[in-house]
Amino acid sequence: DKESSKRPNILNREFTASAPYQKIVMDTTYLRVCGIKYYLCVAMDLFNREILGYKLSRSPNTKSALICLEIA
């Protein structure tokens, strides 16, 4: 069920922070290079929009997201 899999919106569309490391967001997107699909996971601090970490992989999975978070 799509409704039951939704997570709460804890940021409530407030994409600013008053200090570093208060709000870190992550996103995964795909890129196609020479016909091969890659997935880029990025972690960003909303305080100064600094990219804290990223991970490029051949498949979208939780492991890549956790590695990205560890790097951050």
Side-chain angles (χ1 to χ4, degrees):
D1 180 0
K2 206 173 188 178
E3 277 302 308
S4 65
S5 66
K6 287 187 178 180
R7 300 291 185 245
N9 182 359
I10 60 175
L11 287 179
N12 199 26
R13 302 203 51 82
E14 297 205 16
F15 300 112
T16 59
S18 58
Y21 294 97
Q22 283 182 337
K23 297 177 183 177
I24 296 173
V25 294
M26 295 178 65
D27 191 27
T28 300
T29 190
Y30 77 91
L31 312 160
R32 192 175 301 275
V33 180
C34 297
I36 301 171
K37 198 183 254 188
Y38 294 93
Y39 294 86
L40 176 64
C41 181
V42 178
M44 180 177 71
D45 189 338
L46 289 180
F47 174 69
N48 57 3
R49 304 294 196 256
E50 178 183 0
I51 301 301
L52 301 173
Y54 63 91
K55 173 72 174 144
L56 187 66
S57 67
R58 293 285 306 272
S59 61
N61 55 46
T62 304
K63 183 178 178 183
S64 292
L66 291 174
I67 290 170
C68 179
L69 195 56
E70 279 181 17
I71 292 168

